[in-house]
Amino acid sequence: MMDRSDRPRMTDYRHNGSKAQPTFSAGEMKRRQDGIRAHMAAHQIDAALFTSYHNICYLSDFLYCYFGRRYGLVIDHTKATSITAAIDGGQPWRRTFGDNVTYTDWQKDNYFHALRDLTKGAKRIGIEFDHVNLDLRRELENELPGVEFVDIAAPSMRQRMIKSDEEIAHITKMTRIADLGGAACVEAIGIGVPEHEVALHSTQAMVREIARIWPDGELMDTWTWFQSGINTDGAHNPVTSRKIEEGDILSLNCFPMVAGYYVALERTLFAGHASREHQRLWEINCHVHDEGKKLLVPGARCSDIARQLNDIYAGHQLLQYRTFGYGHSFGVLCHYYGREGGLELREDCDTVLAPGMVISMEPMIMVPEGRPGAGGYREHDILVITEDGNRNITGFPYGPEHLIIKK
């Protein structure tokens, strides 16, 4: 009987099929990898190991499925190579812009065996400090003795914050699909209809359109949160089977995902009618939304935008009901992996807006249950910062004139 130690550490699934149709051009992917190499050269970094979903996807066009195994992308000054598990077969090689090595399960340290081979002679290696946990850090130090590890996460995030023309075109296509998902939500809303049925109808509409627009793409991770009544109090509350009741405050949240890129459409709605106080609060939140979009211009500081919008809420004695920041960057990110935390409309973020950034305006207030106008109010548009202002790429209507759904 063959012992595990006699089985191969590595296997080769390269050329198992042809390379997949990439999401972006070779020139775009080379631009991204060369941006990392320029940082490496300036800071005497011999190689970089990326381990997060978002950076591996951004730099290679491959989005891995974790499931308890390690993944990586090693970029040195001449090449980029994904490190993937044999369970995935040739799919990582087909999707990676660059080379691929595949490790087996036969020995516990096979991932590090691949890593050692790809980083031979490296004395200074970049890793993602915000993603590498204590266990992985210990193992890296044990497996690569004498290597100095430096942070590559922060500079890679700064690079991702400025989108290329190809990225902006990709995101713009996706916002149209989010609008389509919003229309499907409205179509499915009715008294007595469960939240999950509305969400399913929306998600199916978006997935079918993604398959039509990107026939060679992978269909994964698109979802909808549709909330009603008390469930609107949190922006990330999951879908339930609660049935819509007359007069309910509602929240649609449509999230198409294509090649690791996330966009969102979020809107406040009402079932049948809105009380006078609900409508007053809703109109105030829409006013904050309108004023916030005007502030998204190059040269504006994130923290200053947040403070100016705080003043509007405070003028209506509603600031205490605000629950989170006013918006954030869009790109390769998702609810379970990654975000560009350096570009958020919060009082503690001093990043200055610049052309090429893609950012949301999404004010929310939450009035606790039992008070007049109770519920969560949230509007959400995505805007591209231009040389002289911004361009709103969300087209779905909002406010009492459009989204009191009477059926």
Side-chain angles (χ1 to χ4, degrees):
M1 181 180 295
M2 181 181 287
D3 186 80
R4 287 170 64 95
S5 62
D6 296 328
R7 296 179 183 179
R9 285 180 173 272
M10 312 296 294
T11 190
D12 191 349
Y13 288 133
R14 292 175 298 179
H15 311 294
N16 192 50
S18 302
K19 283 282 190 178
Q21 177 66 34
T23 310
F24 300 99
S25 71
E28 166 66 10
M29 297 307 297
K30 186 174 185 302
R31 179 194 70 82
R32 299 179 188 190
Q33 293 182 2
D34 285 350
I36 295 299
R37 292 188 179 105
H39 174 82
M40 291 163 56
H43 294 83
Q44 295 79 50
I45 298 173
D46 301 311
L49 168 66
F50 293 94
T51 50
S52 66
Y53 292 98
H54 45 282
N55 272 323
I56 292 177
C57 181
Y58 177 78
L59 292 164
S60 74
D61 201 25
F62 163 59
L63 184 61
Y64 66 80
C65 176
Y66 173 56
F67 233 106
R69 289 178 172 86
R70 299 198 188 282
Y71 290 80
L73 177 71
V74 174
I75 294 181
D76 61 22
H77 291 278
T78 60
K79 65 186 180 193
T81 308
S82 57
I83 306 174
T84 61
I87 193 172
D88 298 318
Q91 182 263 357
W93 175 80
R94 294 192 295 271
R95 290 285 169 183
T96 296
F97 181 77
D99 204 354
N100 169 259
V101 296
T102 300
Y103 68 92
T104 70
D105 285 350
W106 308 137
Q107 295 186 52
K108 195 172 182 62
D109 67 341
N110 286 351
Y111 173 86
F112 296 101
H113 177 79
L115 180 60
R116 286 192 298 269
D117 189 56
L118 290 172
T119 59
K120 281 179 182 174
K123 296 300 182 185
R124 191 170 159 86
I125 295 178
I127 60 174
E128 297 176 70
F129 280 15
D130 64 356
H131 186 262
V132 171
N133 59 32
L134 293 175
D135 284 344
L136 178 53
R137 181 63 183 265
R138 269 194 298 268
E139 289 177 285
L140 287 171
E141 290 170 346
N142 290 336
E143 298 287 344
L144 301 171
V147 168
E148 179 186 2
F149 295 102
V150 297
D151 184 40
I152 200 76
S156 63
M157 178 187 68
R158 288 192 293 271
Q159 176 175 323
R160 297 196 317 273
M161 279 165 38
I162 303 294
K163 271 58 181 180
S164 68
D165 290 344
E166 285 192 34
E167 286 183 281
I168 292 170
H170 181 79
I171 294 168
T172 301
K173 289 181 186 177
M174 293 175 62
T175 55
R176 186 189 66 79
I177 291 170
D179 288 350
L180 186 151
C185 274
V186 170
E187 182 179 64
I189 289 169
I191 306 304
V193 177
E195 291 177 3
H196 70 273
E197 291 295 340
V198 178
L200 284 170
H201 187 63
S202 169
T203 301
Q204 288 172 352
M206 291 191 289
V207 169
R208 289 183 176 123
E209 185 66 359
I210 290 168
R212 187 181 75 83
I213 300 299
W214 287 276
D216 299 307
E218 296 176 328
L219 302 174
M220 57 186 291
D221 297 332
T222 292
W223 87 105
T224 302
W225 283 324
F226 177 77
Q227 302 143 347
S228 64
I230 185 64
N231 294 333
T232 64
D233 67 344
H236 299 160
N237 290 354
V239 172
T240 75
S241 59
R242 182 186 184 276
K243 294 180 179 179
I244 298 170
E245 300 176 5
E246 176 72 29
D248 266 350
I249 186 171
L250 310 171
S251 183
L252 68 80
N253 310 264
C254 300
F255 308 112
M257 290 286 296
V258 179
Y261 278 74
Y262 157 97
V263 301
L265 170 71
E266 301 173 11
R267 290 290 187 259
T268 303
L269 314 89
F270 278 83
H273 73 276
S275 72
R276 182 175 298 178
E277 182 62 6
H278 276 111
Q279 187 155 325
R280 184 185 77 87
L281 294 169
W282 190 8
E283 289 172 345
I284 291 169
N285 207 55
C286 288
H287 174 64
V288 174
H289 185 54
D290 290 336
E291 294 303 306
K293 287 186 285 187
K294 297 175 186 176
L295 299 175
L296 297 179
V297 296
R301 194 177 302 275
C302 290
S303 53
D304 293 338
I305 293 170
R307 293 185 184 100
Q308 289 179 69
L309 297 181
N310 282 346
D311 289 343
I312 301 176
Y313 279 138
H316 293 281
Q317 291 76 52
L318 294 175
L319 185 56
Q320 69 272 27
Y321 297 136
R322 183 191 145 203
T323 56
F324 61 92
Y326 289 100
H328 59 83
S329 183
F330 275 77
V332 182
L333 52 96
C334 187
H335 63 311
Y336 62 84
Y337 65 81
R339 65 185 301 149
E340 291 160 14
L343 183 51
E344 297 193 10
L345 300 176
R346 298 164 37 137
E347 296 88 339
D348 59 356
C349 180
D350 290 327
T351 299
V352 175
L353 299 185
M357 291 179 172
V358 179
I359 192 167
S360 62
M361 175 51 60
E362 50 177 309
M364 178 175 177
I365 53 173
M366 190 279 284
V367 178
E369 194 74 0
R371 300 187 183 183
Y377 303 77
R378 186 169 67 263
E379 314 302 334
H380 181 296
D381 286 11
I382 298 177
L383 300 97
V384 179
I385 306 301
T386 62
E387 293 291 340
D388 56 359
N390 66 58
R391 177 165 57 92
N392 192 339
I393 56 176
T394 296
F396 201 77
Y398 56 94
E401 182 181 352
H402 301 285
L403 293 180
I404 298 178
I405 311 302
K406 299 179 180 179
K407 293 184 180 179

